[in-house]
Amino acid sequence: MPPRARSAWTKTLGLLALILLGALAAGLLIGQAWPVLTAAALGVVAWHYWRLRRVLLRLTSRQRIPPADGNGVWNELDRLLHRSQDDTRSRKRRLVEMLRAYRAAAAALPDAVIVLERNSQRVQWFNEASSGLLGLQYPGDLGASLGDRLRPLPIAHWLASGRHAEPLLDVPSPLDPAMRLSMRLIPYSEELWLLVARDVSKIMHLEQVRRDFVANVSHELRTPLTVVHGYLDMLDPTEQPEWAPILEEMRRQSQRMTQLVEDLLTLSRLEAQDTISDESVGMGSMLATLKREAEALSQGRHTVTIDDRAALDLWGSTRELHSAFSNLVANAVRYTPAGGSIVIRFARADGGVALSVTDSGYGIPAAHLPRITERFYRVSTSRSRELGGTGLGLAIVKHVLQLHQARLEIESEVGRGSTFTCHFSADRAHPRDGDNIGAGRERTHKQSIG
Ligand code: ADP
């Protein structure tokens, strides 16, 4: 027991003893010892009950207990209760101040921040920016279901699907379709979600400017390159034999630039698309074309094998899929030394269907794999350039596959070779009905390029 409480107890017990002794002495004096003692004891008990009642009343009516300055247990209890009430008050004040500061910070954010109930999607709180970006009104929209409030928009669909792991990129704002938003849903407790929406119009605009710039530059370069290429072809090295190696190098470089421009234009075209024409892609003839191309590139240095096991065709764009697959095949030829083998396989896999290109070439160190599909990312720049690579092949593959809701998987071992696999979902495949490239039913798939 702390010393203060101990001394209060001693004083209270001492006072009790004093009262009882006094009562006993007075009782003995008047010859009525027991009645006086009993009356004194009852008086003490009554006083204690009265103090107990007072504390109880003050606590139940949430009254503030005044600081006591006397001795004894009751005063000590009053003092302790007063102190604990003080502590609670100042803690509450601090918490309220902290909460205010957090809310002020969240309110000052340029991004819309909305606290949502997880199941009902009811809005519990939102900051000022939510009004400017999503059109929420205070206080009318408090308690409203955000899904209902934003119903015609893809946001509502995204909220309903609960796929919070995937952010929603580049959606129109309900206030102004020209304003583009990116949204994230963050589950931060069992019951609550945080929805954060950011205005990405400027970033999207800059991205569009960049795309247009690349597309325009590539387009503008095409004509002069064709002219240079044409004149180079007209020059006959036999007329000036000492110029022959220079002419050969100039032809090689202009060929490389032409290929670079073509690849940049292909990428620009793919980036500008968010839907893909959906025709039946005859995989029999596709595989035969890929084999022919591989053999032409290889010029007998590799063995090229086709392993066609699926007996399926694909829905998609023949032109774009051919561009993706032939990039993989060209890479296999390019990065496999003479004498190596290349296998192009089309088979059912993972509940869908997959086209894979396996080579027995140089392979790719694991550290490079995460970035290998970025534009101009190369494991060895000199080797890629020497072998005629543009650094854009795998970026094209990635874009084409995204447009087909497919994914690229790369397995590679340095010195042993690589396998690049394009996985398509089952609804992209259909039974083979002859090689009807370009024919077939029209289907439409929508996919935004992320
Ligand atoms: P590039 O035109 O340089 O081949 P890509 O985008 O097609 O550009 O490929 C990027 C890089 O990935 C290449 O520079 C090369 O280093 C590596 N790579 C691609 N395919 C293969 C492969 N089959 N074997 C080994 N390395 C490869």
Side-chain angles (χ1 to χ4, degrees):
M1 201 185 282
R4 263 197 94 114
R6 197 177 313 128
S7 111
W9 261 119
T10 325
K11 278 178 186 148
T12 302
L13 290 178
L15 188 67
L16 179 65
L18 217 67
I19 291 171
L20 292 181
L21 277 175
L24 187 64
L28 286 174
L29 263 181
I30 58 170
Q32 294 282 338
W34 282 116
V36 175
L37 202 59
T38 311
L42 283 174
V44 169
V45 170
W47 181 76
H48 278 296
Y49 270 106
W50 174 72
R51 290 298 301 256
L52 184 63
R53 186 171 172 274
R54 203 168 72 163
V55 172
L56 211 64
L57 282 178
R58 277 181 176 157
L59 287 179
T60 41
S61 62
R62 293 172 189 271
Q63 245 180 49
R64 192 128 164 72
I65 297 187
D69 46 6
N71 297 319
V73 276
W74 288 111
N75 289 326
E76 184 59 17
L77 189 66
D78 278 357
R79 209 178 57 75
L80 289 175
L81 286 172
H82 175 77
R83 199 174 73 185
S84 120
Q85 277 182 337
D86 258 7
D87 286 353
T88 313
R89 277 190 174 204
S90 59
R91 207 173 308 132
K92 217 170 172 178
R93 208 175 305 124
R94 272 206 310 278
L95 277 176
V96 168
E97 272 163 20
M98 250 160 78
L99 197 67
R100 272 205 200 114
Y102 275 122
R103 291 220 159 160
L109 274 178
D111 298 344
V113 180
I114 303 168
V115 176
L116 285 180
E117 281 171 27
R118 198 178 182 136
N119 295 327
S120 60
Q121 293 167 19
R122 287 189 194 289
V123 177
Q124 278 211 347
W125 179 85
F126 58 88
N127 68 349
E128 263 176 51
S130 310
S131 309
L133 297 184
L134 290 164
L136 295 190
Q137 299 294 333
Y138 184 83
D141 283 327
L142 282 180
S145 156
L146 196 67
D148 292 345
R149 188 69 181 65
L150 308 172
R151 184 152 301 283
L153 295 170
I155 305 171
H157 188 65
W158 172 71
L159 271 176
S161 72
R163 284 187 307 187
H164 44 76
E166 299 164 27
L168 193 62
L169 302 167
D170 192 19
V171 283
S173 153
L175 283 184
D176 173 9
M179 190 196 290
R180 313 300 296 185
L181 300 178
S182 104
M183 306 192 126
R184 297 196 58 159
L185 207 50
I186 306 153
Y188 73 99
S189 80
E190 284 289 303
E191 293 92 31
L192 297 175
W193 271 344
L194 199 66
L195 179 84
V196 182
R198 170 172 292 181
D199 180 358
V200 288
S201 318
K202 270 197 190 132
I203 301 171
M204 288 299 154
H205 177 67
L206 283 176
E207 181 67 8
Q208 190 57 46
V209 170
R210 180 194 65 78
R211 280 185 204 157
D212 291 350
F213 176 76
V214 173
N216 289 337
V217 167
S218 315
H219 200 74
E220 292 297 324
L221 282 174
R222 208 187 211 172
T223 321
L225 268 175
T226 316
V227 175
V228 170
H229 209 66
Y231 280 126
L232 280 175
D233 276 346
M234 280 164 61
L235 291 174
D236 185 359
T238 52
E239 287 175 13
Q240 296 262 352
E242 69 275 22
W243 279 43
I246 301 171
L247 271 181
E248 180 50 34
E249 183 59 15
M250 284 168 81
R251 272 191 197 132
R252 233 165 54 86
Q253 293 299 343
S254 85
Q255 189 72 48
R256 218 165 76 78
M257 274 171 80
T258 309
Q259 190 55 51
L260 193 61
V261 165
E262 290 306 322
D263 279 0
L264 280 171
L265 282 170
T266 305
L267 260 180
S268 302
R269 195 187 63 240
L270 290 171
E271 279 181 332
Q273 267 169 274
D274 62 354
T275 56
I276 194 89
S277 70
D278 239 355
E279 61 212 18
S280 175
V281 182
M283 287 307 286
S285 62
M286 173 74 83
L287 292 169
T289 309
L290 292 175
K291 184 169 196 274
R292 257 197 324 277
E293 286 173 352
E295 282 168 348
L297 270 174
S298 160
Q299 295 185 328
R301 287 174 295 130
H302 310 90
T303 51
V304 182
T305 321
I306 297 287
D307 182 8
D308 184 5
R309 302 182 182 181
L312 293 171
D313 281 341
L314 291 175
W315 292 115
S317 157
T318 308
R319 178 189 179 191
E320 312 300 9
L321 285 176
H322 173 246
S323 147
F325 300 154
S326 68
N327 266 304
L328 293 180
V329 170
N331 278 350
V333 174
R334 206 176 284 145
Y335 301 109
T336 303
S341 64
I342 291 156
V343 180
I344 306 167
R345 180 169 295 126
F346 186 56
R348 290 169 198 265
D350 296 347
V353 64
L355 181 131
S356 63
V357 181
T358 304
D359 63 56
S360 60
Y362 305 116
I364 306 162
H368 292 280
L369 289 181
R371 298 191 57 195
I372 202 90
T373 55
E374 289 174 19
R375 287 149 203 245
F376 299 114
Y377 188 89
R378 291 147 159 144
V379 176
S380 156
T381 310
S382 55
R383 183 187 279 166
S384 160
R385 286 212 180 115
E386 199 181 299
L387 297 170
T390 59
L392 295 170
L394 291 181
I396 292 176
V397 174
K398 190 179 90 176
H399 270 84
V400 171
L401 293 188
Q402 269 180 5
L403 284 170
H404 288 83
Q405 297 85 38
R407 69 188 160 84
L408 179 66
E409 191 183 284
I410 309 169
E411 284 170 73
S412 191
E413 203 177 321
V414 177
R416 301 200 64 147
S418 320
T419 299
F420 287 73
T421 310
C422 311
H423 285 278
F424 296 87
S425 61
D427 69 343
R428 278 265 161 215
H430 64 96
R432 195 166 291 176
D433 46 20
D435 279 343
N436 47 350
I437 300 182
R441 303 198 305 264
E442 279 297 310
R443 295 190 333 158
T444 347
H445 275 261
K446 212 171 164 62
Q447 153 93 31
S448 57
I449 302 173

